[in-house]
Amino acid sequence: MKEQLEALRAAALKEIADSDDLAALEAARVRFLGKKGEITAILKQMGGLSPEERPVMGQLANTVRAAVEEAIEEEQRKLKDKLKDLKLAAETVDVTMPGKKAAPGHRHPLSIVLDEVKDIFIGMGFSIATGPEIEWDYYNFEALNIPEGHPARDTQDTFYITEKMLLRTQTSPCQIRYMEGHKPPIRMIAPGRVFRSDPVDATHSPLFHQIEGLVVDKDITMADLKGNLLTLAKKLYGEDTEIRLRPHHFPFTEPSCEIDVSCFRCHGKGCSMCKNEGWIEILGAGMVHPKVLERGGIDPEVYSGYAFGLGVERLAMFRFAVDDMRLFYDNDLRFLNQF
Ligand code: PHE
Protein backbone atom coordinates (compact mmCIF):
# COMPACT_ATOMS: atom_id res chain seq x y z
CA MET A 1 0.00 0.00 0.00
CA LYS A 2 2.88 2.27 0.75
CA GLU A 3 4.27 1.96 -2.78
CA GLN A 4 0.83 2.39 -4.19
CA LEU A 5 0.40 5.66 -2.28
CA GLU A 6 3.83 6.93 -3.33
CA ALA A 7 3.10 6.08 -6.97
CA LEU A 8 -0.25 7.85 -6.75
CA ARG A 9 1.37 10.93 -5.24
CA ALA A 10 3.90 11.08 -8.08
CA ALA A 11 1.24 10.49 -10.73
CA ALA A 12 -1.08 13.10 -9.23
CA LEU A 13 1.63 15.75 -8.89
CA LYS A 14 2.70 15.18 -12.48
CA GLU A 15 -0.80 15.37 -13.83
CA ILE A 16 -1.44 18.55 -11.85
CA ALA A 17 1.76 20.16 -13.08
CA ASP A 18 0.88 19.20 -16.66
CA SER A 19 -2.59 20.77 -16.50
CA ASP A 20 -2.76 23.56 -19.07
CA ASP A 21 -6.06 24.99 -17.97
CA LEU A 22 -8.55 24.96 -15.13
CA ALA A 23 -10.67 22.23 -16.76
CA ALA A 24 -7.69 19.86 -16.96
CA LEU A 25 -6.83 20.65 -13.36
CA GLU A 26 -10.38 19.88 -12.25
CA ALA A 27 -10.23 16.58 -14.13
CA ALA A 28 -7.06 15.70 -12.22
CA ARG A 29 -8.69 16.59 -8.93
CA VAL A 30 -11.67 14.35 -9.69
CA ARG A 31 -9.38 11.53 -10.82
CA PHE A 32 -7.39 11.47 -7.58
CA LEU A 33 -9.44 13.14 -4.87
CA GLY A 34 -13.02 12.84 -6.15
CA LYS A 35 -15.59 10.54 -4.50
CA LYS A 36 -14.51 7.73 -6.81
CA GLY A 37 -10.94 9.02 -7.02
CA GLU A 38 -7.87 6.81 -6.81
CA ILE A 39 -6.55 8.22 -3.54
CA THR A 40 -10.04 8.14 -2.04
CA ALA A 41 -10.29 4.47 -3.00
CA ILE A 42 -7.09 3.66 -1.08
CA LEU A 43 -8.29 5.56 1.97
CA LYS A 44 -11.38 3.35 1.91
CA GLN A 45 -9.21 0.24 2.17
CA MET A 46 -7.71 1.40 5.51
CA GLY A 47 -10.33 -0.58 7.42
CA GLY A 48 -8.84 -3.85 6.18
CA LEU A 49 -5.36 -3.17 7.63
CA SER A 50 -3.98 -4.56 10.87
CA PRO A 51 -4.13 -2.30 13.94
CA GLU A 52 -0.34 -1.79 13.76
CA GLU A 53 -0.30 -0.83 10.12
CA ARG A 54 -3.38 1.36 10.21
CA PRO A 55 -1.92 4.50 11.93
CA VAL A 56 1.25 4.40 9.83
CA MET A 57 -0.60 4.06 6.55
CA GLY A 58 -3.24 6.50 7.71
CA GLN A 59 -0.63 9.12 8.33
CA LEU A 60 1.03 8.53 4.99
CA ALA A 61 -2.29 8.64 3.17
CA ASN A 62 -3.15 11.94 4.82
CA THR A 63 0.20 13.44 3.89
CA VAL A 64 -0.28 12.34 0.28
CA ARG A 65 -3.78 13.78 0.20
CA ALA A 66 -2.62 17.08 1.74
CA ALA A 67 0.29 17.30 -0.71
CA VAL A 68 -2.01 16.72 -3.68
CA GLU A 69 -4.56 19.22 -2.39
CA GLU A 70 -1.86 21.83 -1.92
CA ALA A 71 -0.48 21.19 -5.39
CA ILE A 72 -3.93 21.67 -6.85
CA GLU A 73 -4.42 24.96 -5.04
CA GLU A 74 -1.00 26.18 -6.09
CA GLU A 75 -1.62 25.24 -9.73
CA GLN A 76 -5.03 26.83 -9.63
CA ARG A 77 -3.49 30.13 -8.49
CA LYS A 78 -0.90 29.94 -11.27
CA LEU A 79 -3.49 29.22 -13.96
CA LYS A 80 -5.71 32.06 -12.74
CA ASP A 81 -2.79 34.48 -12.82
CA LYS A 82 -1.96 33.31 -16.32
CA LEU A 83 -5.56 33.92 -17.40
CA LYS A 84 -5.50 37.39 -15.90
CA ASP A 85 -2.27 38.22 -17.70
CA LEU A 86 -3.73 36.99 -20.99
CA LYS A 87 -6.87 39.07 -20.45
CA LEU A 88 -4.84 42.18 -19.59
CA ALA A 89 -2.66 41.69 -22.65
CA ALA A 90 -5.73 41.36 -24.86
CA GLU A 91 -7.26 44.49 -23.38
CA THR A 92 -4.28 46.81 -23.67
CA VAL A 93 -5.11 50.11 -25.25
CA ASP A 94 -2.80 51.40 -27.90
CA VAL A 95 -2.55 55.01 -26.84
CA THR A 96 -0.73 55.92 -30.03
CA MET A 97 -3.68 54.93 -32.21
CA PRO A 98 -5.34 57.90 -33.94
CA GLY A 99 -8.73 58.79 -32.40
CA LYS A 100 -12.09 58.51 -34.07
CA LYS A 101 -13.18 61.90 -35.35
CA ALA A 102 -16.42 63.05 -33.75
CA ALA A 103 -18.69 64.93 -36.12
CA PRO A 104 -19.69 68.03 -34.15
CA GLY A 105 -23.32 69.11 -34.30
CA HIS A 106 -24.51 72.56 -35.22
CA ARG A 107 -26.32 75.05 -33.10
CA HIS A 108 -29.91 75.40 -34.22
CA PRO A 109 -30.64 78.73 -35.96
CA LEU A 110 -33.32 79.50 -33.36
CA SER A 111 -30.79 78.91 -30.57
CA ILE A 112 -28.26 81.16 -32.32
CA VAL A 113 -30.74 84.04 -32.48
CA LEU A 114 -32.00 83.40 -28.97
CA ASP A 115 -28.45 83.45 -27.58
CA GLU A 116 -27.69 86.67 -29.46
CA VAL A 117 -30.76 88.40 -28.06
CA LYS A 118 -30.00 87.12 -24.56
CA ASP A 119 -26.41 88.43 -24.77
CA ILE A 120 -27.57 91.83 -25.95
CA PHE A 121 -30.04 92.23 -23.08
CA ILE A 122 -27.69 90.79 -20.46
CA GLY A 123 -25.25 93.46 -21.65
CA MET A 124 -27.92 96.07 -20.86
CA GLY A 125 -28.40 94.76 -17.33
CA PHE A 126 -31.44 92.53 -17.86
CA SER A 127 -32.05 89.29 -15.96
CA ILE A 128 -33.41 86.13 -17.59
CA ALA A 129 -36.72 84.78 -16.27
CA THR A 130 -38.89 81.82 -17.18
CA GLY A 131 -42.48 80.76 -16.69
CA PRO A 132 -44.53 77.59 -17.14
CA GLU A 133 -45.73 76.50 -20.57
CA ILE A 134 -48.92 75.13 -19.01
CA GLU A 135 -50.42 78.27 -17.57
CA TRP A 136 -53.48 79.47 -15.71
CA ASP A 137 -56.03 81.46 -17.66
CA TYR A 138 -55.45 84.08 -14.96
CA TYR A 139 -51.83 84.78 -15.93
CA ASN A 140 -52.25 84.34 -19.67
CA PHE A 141 -55.34 86.55 -19.97
CA GLU A 142 -57.10 87.82 -16.85
CA ALA A 143 -54.17 89.56 -15.15
CA LEU A 144 -53.07 90.97 -18.51
CA ASN A 145 -56.29 92.96 -18.73
CA ILE A 146 -57.97 90.45 -21.05
CA PRO A 147 -61.09 89.49 -19.07
CA GLU A 148 -63.48 86.75 -20.12
CA GLY A 149 -65.37 87.69 -23.26
CA HIS A 150 -62.65 90.12 -24.38
CA PRO A 151 -62.25 89.98 -28.17
CA ALA A 152 -58.46 89.64 -27.82
CA ARG A 153 -59.03 86.07 -26.58
CA ASP A 154 -60.39 85.12 -29.99
CA THR A 155 -57.33 86.40 -31.83
CA GLN A 156 -55.09 83.97 -29.92
CA ASP A 157 -56.40 80.52 -30.76
CA THR A 158 -55.89 78.95 -27.40
CA PHE A 159 -55.29 75.30 -26.58
CA TYR A 160 -57.35 74.86 -23.40
CA ILE A 161 -56.54 72.01 -21.01
CA THR A 162 -59.36 72.75 -18.59
CA GLU A 163 -61.59 75.77 -18.33
CA LYS A 164 -58.96 77.51 -16.20
CA MET A 165 -55.78 75.96 -17.55
CA LEU A 166 -54.21 76.32 -20.97
CA LEU A 167 -51.01 76.20 -23.02
CA ARG A 168 -49.74 79.77 -22.83
CA THR A 169 -50.38 81.68 -26.05
CA GLN A 170 -47.71 84.28 -25.28
CA THR A 171 -44.81 84.85 -22.89
CA SER A 172 -46.59 87.88 -21.39
CA PRO A 173 -47.80 85.89 -18.33
CA CYS A 174 -44.12 85.97 -17.28
CA GLN A 175 -44.59 89.73 -16.71
CA ILE A 176 -47.16 89.14 -13.95
CA ARG A 177 -45.24 86.24 -12.42
CA TYR A 178 -42.04 88.29 -12.36
CA MET A 179 -43.71 91.33 -10.77
CA GLU A 180 -45.25 89.07 -8.12
CA GLY A 181 -41.78 87.96 -7.11
CA HIS A 182 -39.67 91.08 -7.67
CA LYS A 183 -39.83 94.73 -6.67
CA PRO A 184 -38.75 97.53 -9.05
CA PRO A 185 -36.32 98.31 -10.52
CA ILE A 186 -37.19 95.43 -12.87
CA ARG A 187 -35.28 94.61 -16.04
CA MET A 188 -35.98 91.13 -17.35
CA ILE A 189 -36.43 89.11 -20.48
CA ALA A 190 -38.32 85.81 -20.51
CA PRO A 191 -37.75 83.56 -23.52
CA GLY A 192 -39.93 80.51 -24.06
CA ARG A 193 -42.24 78.38 -26.15
CA VAL A 194 -45.81 79.49 -26.81
CA PHE A 195 -48.73 77.65 -28.39
CA ARG A 196 -51.60 78.62 -30.65
CA SER A 197 -53.90 76.31 -32.54
CA ASP A 198 -52.82 77.67 -35.90
CA PRO A 199 -52.60 75.40 -38.92
CA VAL A 200 -49.02 74.92 -40.12
CA ASP A 201 -47.86 76.97 -43.10
CA ALA A 202 -44.76 78.91 -44.15
CA THR A 203 -45.29 81.59 -41.49
CA HIS A 204 -47.39 79.81 -38.84
CA SER A 205 -46.82 76.99 -36.42
CA PRO A 206 -48.84 75.78 -33.42
CA LEU A 207 -45.63 76.00 -31.40
CA PHE A 208 -43.26 78.94 -31.67
CA HIS A 209 -40.92 80.99 -29.52
CA GLN A 210 -41.22 84.44 -28.00
CA ILE A 211 -38.99 86.62 -25.87
CA GLU A 212 -40.85 88.80 -23.42
CA GLY A 213 -39.24 91.93 -22.06
CA LEU A 214 -40.26 93.95 -19.01
CA VAL A 215 -38.75 97.09 -17.50
CA VAL A 216 -40.35 98.77 -14.48
CA ASP A 217 -38.85 101.66 -12.54
CA LYS A 218 -39.55 105.28 -11.64
CA ASP A 219 -39.82 107.62 -14.64
CA ILE A 220 -39.67 104.99 -17.37
CA THR A 221 -41.00 106.47 -20.61
CA MET A 222 -41.59 105.50 -24.21
CA ALA A 223 -38.15 107.00 -24.95
CA ASP A 224 -36.52 104.24 -22.86
CA LEU A 225 -38.46 101.64 -24.81
CA LYS A 226 -37.39 103.16 -28.12
CA GLY A 227 -33.77 103.52 -27.06
CA ASN A 228 -33.40 99.96 -25.82
CA LEU A 229 -35.10 98.40 -28.81
CA LEU A 230 -33.08 100.52 -31.23
CA THR A 231 -29.95 99.16 -29.54
CA LEU A 232 -31.30 95.64 -30.00
CA ALA A 233 -32.07 96.24 -33.69
CA LYS A 234 -28.61 97.70 -34.40
CA LYS A 235 -26.84 94.87 -32.60
CA LEU A 236 -28.89 92.23 -34.42
CA TYR A 237 -29.02 93.69 -37.91
CA GLY A 238 -26.14 96.19 -38.10
CA GLU A 239 -25.32 99.75 -37.00
CA ASP A 240 -27.16 101.42 -39.89
CA THR A 241 -30.48 99.82 -38.91
CA GLU A 242 -33.38 102.15 -38.09
CA ILE A 243 -36.59 101.37 -36.25
CA ARG A 244 -40.07 102.79 -36.59
CA LEU A 245 -42.91 102.65 -34.09
CA ARG A 246 -46.42 102.19 -35.45
CA PRO A 247 -49.46 102.68 -33.20
CA HIS A 248 -51.13 99.40 -32.34
CA HIS A 249 -53.32 97.90 -29.64
CA PHE A 250 -52.58 95.38 -26.92
CA PRO A 251 -54.85 95.13 -23.88
CA PHE A 252 -51.89 95.02 -21.48
CA THR A 253 -49.98 98.04 -22.77
CA GLU A 254 -51.10 101.65 -23.18
CA PRO A 255 -50.04 103.19 -25.44
CA SER A 256 -49.06 100.21 -27.62
CA CYS A 257 -47.04 99.96 -30.78
CA GLU A 258 -45.56 97.57 -33.26
CA ILE A 259 -41.90 98.07 -34.07
CA ASP A 260 -40.46 97.69 -37.54
CA VAL A 261 -36.77 97.56 -38.46
CA SER A 262 -35.47 98.97 -41.72
CA CYS A 263 -34.91 96.09 -44.13
CA PHE A 264 -31.27 95.09 -43.69
CA ARG A 265 -31.08 93.81 -47.25
CA CYS A 266 -32.39 96.82 -49.23
CA HIS A 267 -32.04 99.46 -46.47
CA GLY A 268 -35.54 100.76 -47.01
CA LYS A 269 -35.67 100.75 -50.80
CA GLY A 270 -37.93 97.71 -51.00
CA CYS A 271 -37.06 94.12 -51.94
CA SER A 272 -38.49 90.60 -51.82
CA MET A 273 -37.37 90.16 -48.21
CA CYS A 274 -39.49 93.07 -46.95
CA LYS A 275 -42.20 92.57 -49.57
CA ASN A 276 -41.24 95.97 -51.04
CA GLU A 277 -42.13 97.71 -47.79
CA GLY A 278 -38.61 98.70 -46.82
CA TRP A 279 -39.57 97.78 -43.24
CA ILE A 280 -39.97 94.50 -41.38
CA GLU A 281 -42.15 94.11 -38.29
CA ILE A 282 -40.26 92.37 -35.48
CA LEU A 283 -42.14 92.97 -32.25
CA GLY A 284 -45.08 94.30 -30.27
CA ALA A 285 -44.53 96.64 -27.36
CA GLY A 286 -45.92 99.41 -25.22
CA MET A 287 -46.07 101.06 -21.83
CA VAL A 288 -47.30 98.58 -19.21
CA HIS A 289 -50.99 99.20 -18.53
CA PRO A 290 -51.59 100.56 -14.98
CA LYS A 291 -54.04 97.70 -14.32
CA VAL A 292 -51.30 95.19 -15.17
CA LEU A 293 -48.84 96.89 -12.82
CA GLU A 294 -51.50 96.73 -10.10
CA ARG A 295 -52.03 93.00 -10.71
CA GLY A 296 -48.29 92.61 -10.29
CA GLY A 297 -48.47 94.38 -6.93
CA ILE A 298 -46.77 97.55 -8.18
CA ASP A 299 -48.18 101.03 -7.57
CA PRO A 300 -48.79 102.66 -10.98
CA GLU A 301 -48.78 106.09 -9.31
CA VAL A 302 -45.12 105.62 -8.39
CA TYR A 303 -43.77 103.35 -11.10
CA SER A 304 -44.10 103.03 -14.84
CA GLY A 305 -42.69 100.50 -17.27
CA TYR A 306 -42.56 99.16 -20.75
CA ALA A 307 -42.94 95.68 -22.14
CA PHE A 308 -42.29 94.02 -25.45
CA GLY A 309 -42.72 90.65 -27.12
CA LEU A 310 -40.37 89.39 -29.82
CA GLY A 311 -41.07 86.49 -32.16
CA VAL A 312 -37.89 84.40 -32.30
CA GLU A 313 -38.82 82.57 -35.53
CA ARG A 314 -39.48 85.89 -37.28
CA LEU A 315 -36.12 87.26 -36.14
CA ALA A 316 -34.34 84.12 -37.32
CA MET A 317 -36.14 84.05 -40.66
CA PHE A 318 -34.96 87.57 -41.48
CA ARG A 319 -31.55 87.08 -39.95
CA PHE A 320 -30.79 84.00 -42.08
CA ALA A 321 -33.07 84.74 -45.06
CA VAL A 322 -35.19 81.65 -44.41
CA ASP A 323 -38.53 81.91 -46.17
CA ASP A 324 -40.32 78.94 -44.61
CA MET A 325 -40.71 78.59 -40.88
CA ARG A 326 -41.26 74.81 -41.17
CA LEU A 327 -37.55 74.39 -41.96
CA PHE A 328 -36.80 75.20 -38.30
CA TYR A 329 -38.72 72.15 -37.10
CA ASP A 330 -38.07 69.57 -39.82
CA ASN A 331 -34.62 68.62 -38.50
CA ASP A 332 -33.36 68.21 -42.04
CA LEU A 333 -29.58 68.02 -41.74
CA ARG A 334 -29.11 69.61 -45.17
CA PHE A 335 -30.72 72.72 -43.68
CA LEU A 336 -29.21 72.57 -40.18
CA ASN A 337 -25.66 71.96 -41.42
CA GLN A 338 -25.64 75.43 -42.96
CA PHE A 339 -25.49 77.16 -39.57
N1 PHE B 1 -47.83 89.21 -26.15
C1 PHE B 1 -47.96 89.97 -27.37
C2 PHE B 1 -48.21 88.97 -28.50
O1 PHE B 1 -48.02 87.80 -28.34
C3 PHE B 1 -46.71 90.78 -27.64
C4 PHE B 1 -46.48 91.88 -26.66
C5 PHE B 1 -45.76 91.67 -25.52
C6 PHE B 1 -47.00 93.14 -26.89
C7 PHE B 1 -45.53 92.69 -24.61
C8 PHE B 1 -46.81 94.17 -25.99
C9 PHE B 1 -46.07 93.93 -24.87
O2 PHE B 1 -48.61 89.37 -29.58
Side-chain angles (χ1 to χ4, degrees):
M1 186 177 274
K2 189 169 174 241
E3 283 85 63
Q4 231 180 330
L5 273 169
E6 292 296 358
L8 273 176
R9 173 179 9 211
L13 291 184
K14 183 170 182 323
E15 190 161 330
I16 289 163
D18 287 348
S19 300
D20 288 335
D21 54 33
L22 289 170
L25 185 62
E26 174 62 10
R29 188 192 65 78
V30 172
R31 176 171 163 206
F32 294 102
L33 296 179
K35 261 198 210 136
K36 293 178 184 155
E38 294 177 29
I39 295 177
T40 319
I42 302 244
L43 290 171
K44 279 183 189 153
Q45 294 167 24
M46 289 292 162
L49 292 177
S50 65
E52 296 81 46
E53 264 181 323
R54 210 180 292 154
V56 186
M57 280 304 139
Q59 206 183 8
L60 179 63
N62 279 334
T63 326
V64 170
R65 188 172 53 184
V68 173
E69 273 171 356
E70 203 182 307
I72 288 177
E73 259 170 50
E74 174 67 23
E75 187 67 16
Q76 207 169 33
R77 221 172 296 130
K78 269 198 225 152
L79 286 173
K80 278 190 179 154
D81 282 351
K82 204 167 92 184
L83 267 181
K84 199 156 84 187
D85 287 346
L86 280 175
K87 202 170 163 219
L88 283 176
E91 283 175 359
T92 20
V93 175
D94 179 358
V95 290
T96 64
M97 232 159 60
K100 282 196 197 116
K101 200 165 179 236
H106 291 251
R107 277 204 300 161
H108 194 279
L110 292 179
S111 304
I112 296 175
V113 169
L114 182 62
D115 286 349
E116 276 180 7
V117 175
K118 273 193 202 162
D119 278 351
I120 293 168
F121 280 106
I122 288 172
M124 295 195 281
F126 283 61
S127 316
I128 311 258
T130 52
E133 292 174 355
I134 296 174
E135 187 54 284
W136 297 111
D137 179 287
Y138 174 79
Y139 287 105
N140 196 79
F141 290 130
E142 194 77 32
L144 289 168
N145 200 27
I146 315 176
E148 225 168 287
H150 192 288
R153 290 195 177 212
D154 302 336
T155 61
Q156 305 198 346
D157 305 284
T158 312
F159 286 116
Y160 277 94
I161 295 170
T162 67
E163 211 176 298
K164 294 264 166 248
M165 203 189 270
L166 43 79
L167 294 181
R168 65 177 176 192
T169 59
Q170 48 188 356
T171 43
S172 300
C174 298
Q175 291 186 31
I176 307 290
R177 286 182 176 274
Y178 199 83
M179 286 189 279
E180 283 179 348
H182 297 80
K183 288 197 176 6
I186 286 172
R187 264 187 182 69
M188 73 86 171
I189 56 166
R193 300 198 288 186
V194 299
F195 308 84
R196 291 183 197 181
S197 79
D198 279 330
V200 178
D201 65 25
T203 54
H204 292 89
S205 160
L207 180 162
F208 59 102
H209 298 75
Q210 286 189 335
I211 303 172
E212 195 74 12
L214 176 69
V215 171
V216 182
D217 203 348
K218 285 181 179 150
D219 304 321
I220 295 290
T221 70
M222 204 83 179
D224 296 297
L225 184 163
K226 194 176 173 188
N228 265 5
L229 294 174
L230 180 60
T231 306
L232 170 74
K234 284 182 183 295
K235 293 221 160 125
L236 271 182
Y237 294 114
E239 267 310 308
D240 51 356
T241 309
E242 293 297 330
I243 61 169
R244 124 183 135 171
L245 279 61
R246 271 182 298 103
H248 198 73
H249 174 263
F250 296 107
F252 34 92
T253 46
E254 181 57 37
S256 306
C257 61
E258 278 187 331
I259 297 188
D260 301 337
V261 292
S262 53
C263 178
F264 47 88
R265 192 195 266 174
C266 66
H267 299 285
K269 284 194 218 65
C271 68
S272 61
M273 180 83 95
C274 57
K275 301 203 176 92
N276 282 320
E277 298 264 339
W279 296 91
I280 290 164
E281 182 224 318
I282 60 161
L283 58 88
M287 301 306 291
V288 183
H289 198 291
K291 279 191 185 164
V292 173
L293 287 174
E294 261 169 22
R295 292 287 187 140
I298 289 170
D299 184 353
E301 296 295 330
V302 182
Y303 293 101
S304 56
Y306 69 82
F308 58 88
L310 277 162
V312 181
E313 278 78 357
R314 256 186 102 70
L315 285 189
M317 283 170 86
F318 291 122
R319 178 83 166 61
F320 299 119
V322 172
D323 59 7
D324 194 326
M325 197 161 150
R326 286 169 286 198
L327 288 165
F328 292 137
Y329 312 116
D330 283 346
N331 287 334
D332 185 334
L333 288 180
R334 290 169 301 179
F335 172 72
L336 294 176
N337 277 337
Q338 296 176 47
F339 297 93

